[in-house]
Each structure stands twice: as structure tokens, then as C-alpha cells.
Amino acid sequence: EVALACAVFLASGRLGSVLNNLISTKVANSSSTPMALWVGVIATASSVIAALSLGIVERREAKKAREQSETAAMLTTLLLDDENSERAGDSRSVRSESAGGDVLSLVPENDGASVCLADLKRFGSLFWLLAALCVVTSNCVFAFNNVASGILLERNYFRLPSTNCVRKFPDQCTLGTLQNVSNPALDKNGNSCAFKNIAPVLPSSLNITTRDVSWEEPQYVFESLSGSDVDCGDSFWADACTKDYCAAQNQATEKAGRVMSIPYILTTALCVPLGPIVDRVGGRASVAALSPIILVAVHASLALGGTSSPMLPLLGQGIAYSIQAAVLWPSISLTVDAKLRGTAYGVVTAGINIGLSLSPLIIAGLYNSNGRHYIPSVEYYFISFALFGLVVAIVLNVVDKKSGGKLNSVATASNEELEPDISSIVMSDEASYRLS
């Protein structure tokens, strides 16, 4: 039931991501961006406290388990010695020694083993292929989520207005305490411009040299004003000069936050039932190949689909991540020795974090080189990543087939390393003892 456990664990984590998408934009718009960051600090501090508490509980439970195992081992030894006391000579010695060796295995041992880089040599090709696939999927999901709001605003909910639309008074504010008269946006025929899912037209230029204590800058002089110059956290823009622009931007960011939560909401709903299905049916490597295929389709749609609804692509994103949560992560434990599982998951997590630390730098470079636009260059980056993942998934299935189909087979109890249980001690007719 490893897949089910991983699915439940990751699904609960994605609930936090949904809350972040919904709450952070509201806090930033109603208060300030620093306040939204402080909410994140409080949430992170709560996680640290929970982790410390978990360590305390784990240590107490480990001590309790060790005491119970030692008691069980002592009682079992006494029972076996009593049964064997009437047996003579070498037969008694051999059987007692055999039983004693098994009993000692009930006691958790700490052999002082530590993690070392040499352990990495013991990981096979299946593990490294799974690790690469996890890195690809995580980057296509998490790195995308970091810029999803900007992509959705640019593509759907806060698009650039037509260059044919200009303000009636192009060098004056649009709405606010500095603009007492109407300053409508008009096209070249003198008709009003529509602004549904489109950013309101900004002034062409500004020359505001007066000072207000609530404003962040001493003056606001722009020969050519653009959206990147407007900071709606500044009272000058939000209340005095471009109130309509900032209000529309706030509404759009909150809508984008709700829409970009779709993949995580779907992941929360899907990966819990998907986990036990994979446990019982198998086919992990085959199912894993679906994730990069879906991601290619998702990001191609976002890159080339114009202003079509992002709902369907984001649903696909959720399905792709659900496969990682319920299939890829649990599969790692099947490719390494039990003693190296912690190291294996640590290596995969490190690889994911390295990718997530590099992706923002690459995305920022693409964004700036594309005239401060995400589409299509940033989406092409995600497509290339997903295509690489597809190649990895194909190789994974080939290697798994040559290795006996460990990943695609159905997991059984024989595949798992079971702890010995005192109830499994049985006595045969020949009075020999063993641990099953």
C-alpha cells in the first residue's frame, strides 16, 4: 500500500497549495504583498513546529517499540529454552542456536550505518530513470505554478488592450483623486473600448511632480507609460491616478488564483483512489508514461491555443501530477534496497529542488528576451521539458521489461520486506522451530 500512502501524503500537501493560491492574492490585494509574505512565514513556522513535534513522537514510539521487541525476544527465548531443555546434545544446541538467531532479529538494531556518496553506485538504471521523470514532472507542474498567474493574466484575464485604444486625455490619469473628469478610452473611430478580460488603457505619458505622504515616490514622470511601470501597491496608482486599472488587475489576479488551483484540487481528488488502483493492478511504468504525454498536450495548448479557456489544460495538468503522486513516488521504493530507500527519496527530492532553483532563472531569461511576455517562449520551455520526460518514460519501460517487469508487475507481499512476527513461530512434528 505504498502508493496509497504516498497519494494521501501528497494530496494533503496540495491542499496547502490550493489555500496559498486562494489566500495569498486576497491578502496582497486587500493589504499588501509584505503582509501576504508574513502569512507564508506563519505557515512555514507552523510546519517547523509540526516537524519538531513529529521527531519527539517518533523517538518515543521507537523507544516503546524497542522495549516491546526486547520483551518479546526474552519471552520467546525462555519458551524455546524450556521446550528444548529435554533435548540432548548437538540437536539441542543447533536448534537453540537457530531459534536464538531468529529471535534476535526481532530486536531493532542500529548498526551505526550512515549515508555516504558511495551508496549512489548501488542505485540501478530504473531508479535513475524514475528520478529523472520525477524531476521533469515536478518542474512542469511546480515551476509552471510559480508563473501560472502571470501566464493566465497575459493569456486570458488581463490581456493587453488594442493599440488603437487611447485615452481621451492621454497625458492625464484615468480614474482617482487626481482625475476629477471622465477620461474614457476611445478607438480611432471615437467609440468606447471594451475591457472584458482586457487591461484598462493607461495614459500614454505622465508628469506628476506634486507630492503626497501616502505615495511611495517623490514624483511620477513617464514619457511612455507601460503596465510594468504601474505598482498597484502604491497609493498613487491604486487610489490617485489609475484606480480603474488597479481594481481590474486585483480582480484578474484573484480569478487567476482560483483557476490555477484546478490542478491541485484535481490532484487531491484523484491521487487517493489512484494509489490503491496502482497497488492492485500494477503497470506503473506504463502509467508513468502518460504523465509527460499529457504535459506536452497541456503546454502546447497554452502556448498555441490563443485565448481559449485554460480549464481543460489545467485539468490535464492535475491528471499528470496525480500520476506522479500515486505512481512515480511509490515506484522508487521498488527499485532500491530497503536500507537505501531514505537515501533514494532524498536524492530524488534534491534533484527536484535543483531543477526548481534553476527553472526560475531560465524562465526569467526567456521572459525578458521575449519582450516581457510569457507566451509562447516560456511555454515552449515546458514543452521541451515534457518531451524529454516522454523519452525517459519510453526508456524506463524498455529497461523495466528487460529487468523482469518489476515496475509493471502487481506488487505482492513477497515483494515487500516483512518484519518477523512472534506469532509466525511454528513447531513442526519433528520439533524443529523456525520463523516464517
Side-chain angles (χ1 to χ4, degrees):
E1 298 179 348
V2 175
L4 175 60
C6 286
V8 172
F9 177 79
L10 292 174
S12 62
R14 297 290 68 79
L15 284 175
S17 301
V18 172
L19 292 176
N20 173 66
N21 292 339
L22 298 178
I23 294 175
S24 59
T25 54
K26 287 187 175 294
V27 174
N29 291 336
S30 61
S31 181
S32 64
T33 300
M35 181 58 68
L37 294 175
W38 277 113
V39 172
V41 170
I42 294 172
T44 304
S46 302
S47 299
V48 173
I49 294 172
L52 294 175
S53 301
L54 179 62
I56 296 173
V57 172
E58 194 277 336
R59 182 172 296 182
R60 183 172 65 244
E61 292 300 317
K63 182 180 178 181
K64 184 186 299 184
R66 184 165 54 252
E67 292 174 351
Q68 292 175 347
S69 295
E70 290 173 350
T71 301
M74 181 180 65
L75 291 174
T76 304
T77 302
L78 292 174
L79 288 172
L80 293 176
D81 285 346
D82 183 63
E83 286 290 335
N84 291 330
S85 61
E86 296 180 358
R87 308 200 193 300
D90 294 340
S91 175
R92 172 184 174 180
S93 175
V94 171
R95 290 169 182 165
S96 297
E97 181 179 352
S98 175
D102 287 332
V103 170
L104 288 176
S105 67
L106 292 172
V107 183
E109 295 182 359
N110 182 8
D111 56 4
S114 59
V115 177
C116 61
L117 293 178
D119 291 337
L120 301 181
K121 298 180 181 179
R122 301 172 61 183
F123 295 152
S125 56
L126 282 178
F127 166 78
W128 291 113
L129 290 168
L130 282 173
L133 204 50
C134 284
V135 171
V136 168
T137 306
S138 295
N139 270 270
C140 286
V141 173
F142 294 126
F144 169 81
N145 191 71
N146 292 338
V147 296
S149 179
I151 291 176
L152 293 177
L153 290 176
E154 177 184 317
R155 184 182 185 274
N156 296 99
Y157 304 124
F158 204 63
R159 304 195 306 273
L160 291 176
S162 170
T163 55
N164 292 326
C165 287
V166 295
R167 291 290 172 176
K168 182 177 181 180
F169 307 106
D171 59 349
Q172 296 182 18
C173 292
T174 59
L175 182 67
T177 57
L178 292 178
Q179 185 64 29
N180 297 322
V181 297
S182 175
N183 189 9
L186 306 173
D187 61 21
K188 59 183 180 180
N189 296 321
N191 299 318
S192 297
C193 299
F195 293 128
K196 183 179 181 181
N197 293 331
I198 297 177
V201 176
L202 290 169
S204 302
S205 62
L206 281 179
N207 187 11
I208 308 295
T209 56
T210 56
R211 183 76 172 99
D212 188 281
V213 293
S214 64
W215 300 350
E216 295 184 0
E217 302 295 336
Q219 61 181 16
Y220 295 84
V221 179
F222 299 91
E223 293 183 0
S224 179
L225 183 66
S226 66
S228 60
D229 298 319
V230 178
D231 177 12
C232 289
D234 184 348
S235 177
F236 170 80
W237 302 107
D239 302 315
C241 189
T242 56
K243 187 175 181 179
D244 56 340
Y245 182 91
C246 289
Q249 186 184 74
N250 290 344
Q251 292 178 358
T253 54
E254 291 182 12
K255 185 174 183 179
R258 293 192 295 270
V259 173
M260 62 190 277
S261 298
I262 290 175
Y264 292 150
I265 294 174
L266 188 62
T267 297
T268 304
L270 283 184
C271 60
V272 173
L274 186 59
I277 290 175
V278 173
D279 281 329
R280 289 168 173 77
V281 177
R284 295 168 183 80
S286 299
V287 175
L290 294 176
S291 183
I293 293 174
I294 295 173
L295 289 172
V296 170
V298 164
H299 292 288
S301 175
L302 291 174
L304 306 173
T307 60
S308 60
S309 173
M311 299 295 185
L312 186 59
L314 293 181
L315 287 172
Q317 183 100 329
I319 294 172
Y321 184 68
S322 298
I323 292 173
Q324 178 188 359
V327 178
L328 292 180
W329 275 102
S331 297
I332 293 172
S333 63
L334 300 176
T335 63
V336 296
D337 295 336
K339 292 183 179 180
L340 298 177
R341 286 174 184 169
T343 303
Y345 280 107
V347 169
V348 175
T349 303
I352 290 173
N353 287 330
I354 291 173
L356 293 178
S357 65
L358 294 177
S359 283
L361 302 177
I362 298 173
I363 290 172
L366 293 172
Y367 176 76
N368 290 326
S369 64
N370 194 40
R372 301 183 68 83
H373 291 95
Y374 290 104
I375 297 174
S377 58
V378 172
E379 283 298 337
Y380 287 159
Y381 168 72
F382 291 125
I383 292 172
S384 63
F385 234 95
L387 287 172
F388 172 73
L390 178 57
V391 174
V392 172
I394 294 173
V395 176
L396 175 68
N397 277 272
V398 173
V399 173
D400 181 62
K401 185 176 181 179
K402 292 182 178 179
S403 303
K406 181 183 296 185
L407 296 179
N408 279 323
S409 62
V410 179
T412 60
S414 60
N415 300 131
E416 312 233 348
E417 295 194 14
L418 303 177
E419 294 184 0
D421 187 343
I422 191 171
S423 63
S424 63
I425 300 178
V426 296
M427 182 168 61
S428 67
D429 292 336
E430 295 81 12
S432 60
Y433 302 86
R434 64 184 179 86
L435 289 175
S436 59

